Protein backbone atom coordinates (compact mmCIF):
# COMPACT_ATOMS: atom_id res chain seq x y z
CA UNK A 1 0.00 0.00 0.00
CA UNK A 2 1.22 3.46 -0.93
CA UNK A 3 3.36 2.09 -3.75
CA UNK A 4 2.62 2.10 -7.49
CA UNK A 5 3.18 -0.77 -9.92
CA UNK A 6 2.84 -0.47 -13.71
CA UNK A 7 1.80 -2.92 -16.41
CA UNK A 8 1.15 -2.51 -20.15
CA UNK A 9 -2.19 -2.82 -21.91
CA UNK A 10 -2.18 -2.93 -25.73
CA UNK A 11 -5.10 -1.57 -27.76
CA UNK A 12 -5.16 -3.12 -31.26
CA UNK A 13 -7.12 -2.20 -34.35
CA UNK A 14 -7.48 -5.05 -36.86
CA UNK A 15 -10.05 -3.15 -38.89
CA UNK A 16 -9.62 -1.16 -42.09
CA UNK A 17 -10.22 2.29 -40.62
CA UNK A 18 -8.79 4.37 -37.79
CA UNK A 19 -10.09 3.57 -34.31
CA UNK A 20 -10.82 6.57 -32.08
CA UNK A 21 -10.42 6.03 -28.30
CA UNK A 22 -12.38 8.62 -26.34
CA UNK A 23 -12.11 7.27 -22.79
CA UNK A 24 -10.76 4.44 -20.64
CA UNK A 25 -12.53 3.56 -17.38
CA UNK A 26 -10.89 1.59 -14.58
CA UNK A 27 -11.96 -0.03 -11.32
CA UNK A 28 -10.80 1.55 -8.04
CA UNK A 29 -7.01 1.97 -7.60
CA UNK A 30 -6.24 1.25 -11.27
CA UNK A 31 -5.52 4.06 -13.72
CA UNK A 32 -3.99 4.92 -17.09
CA UNK A 33 -5.67 7.77 -18.97
CA UNK A 34 -5.28 7.88 -22.73
CA UNK A 35 -7.27 9.15 -25.68
CA UNK A 36 -6.27 9.15 -29.31
CA UNK A 37 -6.33 7.27 -32.58
CA UNK A 38 -5.12 3.78 -33.45
CA UNK A 39 -4.56 3.46 -37.19
CA UNK A 40 -5.89 0.48 -39.14
CA UNK A 41 -3.69 -2.57 -38.58
CA UNK A 42 -1.80 -0.85 -35.75
CA UNK A 43 -1.59 -1.02 -31.97
CA UNK A 44 -0.93 1.36 -29.07
CA UNK A 45 0.55 0.53 -25.67
CA UNK A 46 -1.05 2.09 -22.59
CA UNK A 47 0.64 2.16 -19.16
CA UNK A 48 -1.80 0.98 -16.49
CA UNK A 49 -0.90 1.60 -12.84
CA UNK A 50 -2.09 -0.13 -9.70
CA UNK A 51 -1.85 1.86 -6.45
CA UNK A 52 -3.59 0.04 -3.58
CA UNK A 53 -4.68 2.25 -0.73
CA UNK A 54 -5.68 -0.43 1.80
CA UNK A 55 -4.84 -4.06 2.56
CA UNK A 56 -7.32 -5.99 0.42
CA UNK A 57 -7.80 -7.65 -2.97
CA UNK A 58 -8.75 -5.56 -5.98
CA UNK A 59 -10.20 -6.65 -9.31
CA UNK A 60 -12.51 -5.51 -12.05
CA UNK A 61 -12.77 -4.69 -15.72
CA UNK A 62 -11.04 -2.04 -17.79
CA UNK A 63 -13.39 -0.61 -20.43
CA UNK A 64 -12.10 1.25 -23.50
CA UNK A 65 -14.61 3.74 -24.87
CA UNK A 66 -14.16 3.94 -28.62
CA UNK A 67 -15.92 3.92 -32.01
CA UNK A 68 -15.22 0.26 -32.71
CA UNK A 69 -17.63 -1.65 -34.97
CA UNK A 70 -16.69 -5.00 -33.43
CA UNK A 71 -14.12 -6.73 -31.24
CA UNK A 72 -13.55 -6.75 -27.48
CA UNK A 73 -13.11 -3.45 -25.65
CA UNK A 74 -12.71 -4.87 -22.13
CA UNK A 75 -9.91 -6.59 -20.18
CA UNK A 76 -9.81 -7.81 -16.59
CA UNK A 77 -7.37 -6.47 -14.00
CA UNK A 78 -6.50 -7.62 -10.52
CA UNK A 79 -4.07 -7.01 -7.68
CA UNK A 80 -3.78 -7.17 -3.91
CA UNK A 81 -2.78 -4.44 -1.49
CA UNK A 82 -0.47 -5.75 1.22
CA UNK A 83 0.81 -4.11 4.37
CA UNK A 84 4.10 -2.22 4.38
CA UNK A 85 6.83 -4.17 6.17
CA UNK A 86 10.30 -2.99 7.18
CA UNK A 87 11.91 -5.88 9.04
CA UNK A 88 15.23 -4.96 10.61
CA UNK A 89 17.97 -7.41 11.55
CA UNK A 90 21.48 -6.95 12.98
CA UNK A 91 24.43 -9.24 12.29
CA UNK A 92 28.02 -9.13 13.50
CA UNK A 93 30.40 -10.26 16.22
CA UNK A 94 31.24 -7.21 18.32
CA UNK A 95 33.41 -8.99 20.91
CA UNK A 96 36.57 -6.87 20.75
CA UNK A 97 38.62 -8.67 23.39
CA UNK A 98 41.54 -6.74 24.90
CA UNK A 99 42.26 -3.26 23.51
CA UNK A 100 44.94 -0.95 24.88
CA UNK A 101 43.56 2.20 26.48
CA UNK A 102 43.93 5.18 24.17
CA UNK A 103 43.76 3.00 21.06
CA UNK A 104 40.78 2.32 18.76
CA UNK A 105 39.65 -1.06 17.42
CA UNK A 106 36.95 -1.43 14.75
CA UNK A 107 34.55 -4.21 13.78
CA UNK A 108 31.60 -4.36 11.37
CA UNK A 109 27.88 -4.56 12.07
CA UNK A 110 25.40 -5.37 9.28
CA UNK A 111 21.91 -3.85 9.21
CA UNK A 112 19.50 -5.95 7.12
CA UNK A 113 15.99 -5.26 5.85
CA UNK A 114 13.94 -8.33 4.97
CA UNK A 115 10.75 -6.32 4.53
CA UNK A 116 9.04 -5.12 1.36
CA UNK A 117 9.73 -1.38 1.81
CA UNK A 118 12.78 0.81 2.45
CA UNK A 119 13.93 1.01 6.07
CA UNK A 120 15.04 4.44 7.32
CA UNK A 121 17.66 4.50 10.09
CA UNK A 122 17.52 7.77 12.04
CA UNK A 123 20.08 7.11 14.79
CA UNK A 124 22.33 4.51 16.41
CA UNK A 125 22.92 4.54 20.17
CA UNK A 126 26.00 2.89 21.70
CA UNK A 127 27.07 2.05 25.25
CA UNK A 128 30.00 3.98 26.73
CA UNK A 129 33.29 3.24 24.96
CA UNK A 130 31.68 2.27 21.65
CA UNK A 131 30.67 4.42 18.68
CA UNK A 132 29.84 4.49 14.98
CA UNK A 133 27.30 7.01 13.70
CA UNK A 134 25.26 6.25 10.57
CA UNK A 135 21.88 7.30 9.23
CA UNK A 136 20.26 6.47 5.92
CA UNK A 137 18.03 4.04 4.06
CA UNK A 138 18.29 0.28 3.61
CA UNK A 139 16.28 -0.86 0.59
CA UNK A 140 13.91 -3.83 0.81
CA UNK A 141 15.88 -7.07 0.74
CA UNK A 142 19.21 -5.24 1.07
CA UNK A 143 21.76 -4.57 3.81
CA UNK A 144 24.19 -1.93 5.05
CA UNK A 145 27.57 -2.54 6.71
CA UNK A 146 28.36 -0.06 9.51
CA UNK A 147 31.73 0.30 11.26
CA UNK A 148 31.60 0.19 15.07
CA UNK A 149 34.61 1.47 17.03
CA UNK A 150 35.75 0.52 20.53
CA UNK A 151 37.99 3.09 22.27
CA UNK A 152 38.56 2.22 25.95
CA UNK A 153 39.68 5.04 28.22
CA UNK A 154 40.30 3.01 31.38
CA UNK A 155 41.53 -0.42 32.41
CA UNK A 156 38.18 -2.15 32.83
CA UNK A 157 35.55 -4.26 31.10
CA UNK A 158 33.01 -2.62 28.79
CA UNK A 159 29.73 -4.09 27.57
CA UNK A 160 26.24 -3.11 26.56
CA UNK A 161 23.72 -3.03 23.76
CA UNK A 162 23.76 -1.13 20.48
CA UNK A 163 20.27 0.03 19.46
CA UNK A 164 19.20 1.03 15.95
CA UNK A 165 16.45 3.67 15.83
CA UNK A 166 14.39 3.39 12.65
CA UNK A 167 10.88 3.11 11.19
CA UNK A 168 11.01 -0.71 11.30
CA UNK A 169 7.70 -2.52 11.59
CA UNK A 170 9.35 -5.64 13.00
CA UNK A 171 12.57 -7.50 13.63
CA UNK A 172 15.38 -7.15 16.17
CA UNK A 173 17.07 -3.75 16.41
CA UNK A 174 19.70 -4.48 19.10
CA UNK A 175 23.12 -6.13 19.17
CA UNK A 176 25.41 -6.72 22.15
CA UNK A 177 29.03 -5.52 22.26
CA UNK A 178 31.88 -6.27 24.67
CA UNK A 179 35.50 -5.30 25.14
CA UNK A 180 38.18 -4.84 27.77
CA UNK A 181 40.51 -1.89 28.20
CA UNK A 182 44.02 -3.01 29.14
CA UNK A 183 47.06 -1.01 30.25
CA UNK A 184 49.75 -0.28 27.67
CA UNK A 185 52.85 -2.49 28.03
CA UNK A 186 56.22 -2.04 26.35
CA UNK A 187 58.42 -5.03 27.18
CA UNK A 188 61.97 -4.55 25.91
CA UNK A 189 64.30 -7.44 25.21
CA UNK A 190 67.86 -7.63 23.83
CA UNK A 191 69.20 -10.49 21.75
CA UNK A 192 72.54 -11.10 20.10
CA UNK A 193 76.12 -12.21 20.77
CA UNK A 194 78.31 -9.21 21.53
CA UNK A 195 81.35 -11.25 22.49
CA UNK A 196 83.71 -9.83 19.85
CA UNK A 197 86.79 -11.76 20.96
CA UNK A 198 90.18 -10.42 19.97
CA UNK A 199 90.17 -7.44 17.63
CA UNK A 200 93.31 -5.70 16.35
CA UNK A 201 93.58 -2.14 17.61
CA UNK A 202 92.55 0.40 15.00
CA UNK A 203 90.15 -1.98 13.30
CA UNK A 204 86.36 -2.17 13.61
CA UNK A 205 84.31 -5.34 13.99
CA UNK A 206 80.52 -5.31 13.79
CA UNK A 207 77.78 -7.50 15.23
CA UNK A 208 74.00 -7.23 15.42
CA UNK A 209 72.02 -6.55 18.56
CA UNK A 210 68.24 -7.14 18.32
CA UNK A 211 65.84 -4.97 20.29
CA UNK A 212 62.49 -6.74 20.78
CA UNK A 213 59.15 -5.48 22.07
CA UNK A 214 56.79 -8.17 23.39
CA UNK A 215 54.40 -5.60 24.83
CA UNK A 216 51.08 -4.38 23.40
CA UNK A 217 52.19 -0.82 22.58
CA UNK A 218 54.99 0.77 20.59
CA UNK A 219 58.37 1.01 22.37
CA UNK A 220 60.33 4.25 21.89
CA UNK A 221 64.12 3.99 22.09
CA UNK A 222 65.59 7.36 23.01
CA UNK A 223 69.24 6.45 23.54
CA UNK A 224 71.74 3.57 23.73
CA UNK A 225 74.80 3.87 25.96
CA UNK A 226 77.91 1.73 25.51
CA UNK A 227 81.06 1.01 27.48
CA UNK A 228 84.34 2.38 26.17
CA UNK A 229 85.29 0.99 22.76
CA UNK A 230 81.76 0.03 21.72
CA UNK A 231 79.21 2.09 19.77
CA UNK A 232 76.08 1.87 17.68
CA UNK A 233 73.76 4.84 17.63
CA UNK A 234 70.04 4.23 17.01
CA UNK A 235 66.80 5.84 18.12
CA UNK A 236 63.29 5.10 17.00
CA UNK A 237 60.17 3.02 17.64
CA UNK A 238 59.72 -0.74 17.85
CA UNK A 239 56.11 -1.71 17.18
CA UNK A 240 54.23 -4.10 19.44
CA UNK A 241 55.40 -7.67 18.83
CA UNK A 242 58.20 -6.53 16.51
CA UNK A 243 62.01 -6.29 16.62
CA UNK A 244 64.74 -4.03 15.25
CA UNK A 245 68.40 -4.87 14.56
CA UNK A 246 71.08 -2.40 15.62
CA UNK A 247 74.66 -2.68 14.41
CA UNK A 248 77.16 -2.53 17.31
Amino acid sequence: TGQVVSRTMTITNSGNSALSVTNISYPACFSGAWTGTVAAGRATNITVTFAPSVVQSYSGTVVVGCNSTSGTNTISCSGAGIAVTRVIGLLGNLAYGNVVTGQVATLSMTITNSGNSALTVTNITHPFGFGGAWTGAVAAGQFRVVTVAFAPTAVQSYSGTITILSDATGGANTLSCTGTGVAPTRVVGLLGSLAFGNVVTGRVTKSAMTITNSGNSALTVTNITYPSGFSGTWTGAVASGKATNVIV
Side-chain angles (χ1 to χ4, degrees), residues 58-226:
Y58 296 80
S59 63
T61 301
V62 178
V63 180
V64 176
C66 61
N67 63 346
S68 63
T69 57
S70 62
T72 303
N73 71 328
T74 62
I75 190 172
S76 63
C77 59
S78 63
I82 60 175
V84 170
T85 60
R86 295 177 289 267
V87 183
I88 191 172
L90 298 182
L91 303 173
N93 180 4
L94 300 183
Y96 290 82
N98 293 334
V99 177
V100 176
T101 57
Q103 296 185 4
V104 179
T106 59
L107 291 173
S108 294
M109 171 180 65
T110 301
I111 304 172
T112 65
N113 176 16
S114 56
N116 60 25
S117 300
L119 169 75
T120 300
V121 175
T122 55
N123 190 34
I124 304 177
T125 64
H126 301 80
F128 180 74
F130 301 86
W134 183 78
T135 59
V138 182
Q142 299 298 312
F143 64 90
R144 175 78 184 202
V145 177
V146 177
T147 298
V148 179
F150 173 47
T153 57
V155 177
Q156 66 178 54
S157 294
Y158 295 78
S159 64
T161 301
I162 295 174
T163 303
I164 308 297
L165 304 180
S166 69
D167 59 354
T169 59
N173 69 329
T174 61
L175 188 66
S176 63
C177 56
T178 61
T180 302
V182 297
T185 60
R186 296 173 287 271
V187 183
V188 67
L190 299 181
L191 302 174
S193 175
L194 300 184
F196 288 86
N198 295 329
V199 178
V200 175
T201 58
R203 293 184 181 178
V204 177
T205 300
K206 298 178 181 180
S207 187
M209 174 180 66
T210 302
I211 304 174
T212 65
N213 176 16
S214 56
N216 59 26
S217 302
L219 169 74
T220 300
V221 176
T222 56
N223 184 47
I224 304 175
T225 62
Y226 296 88

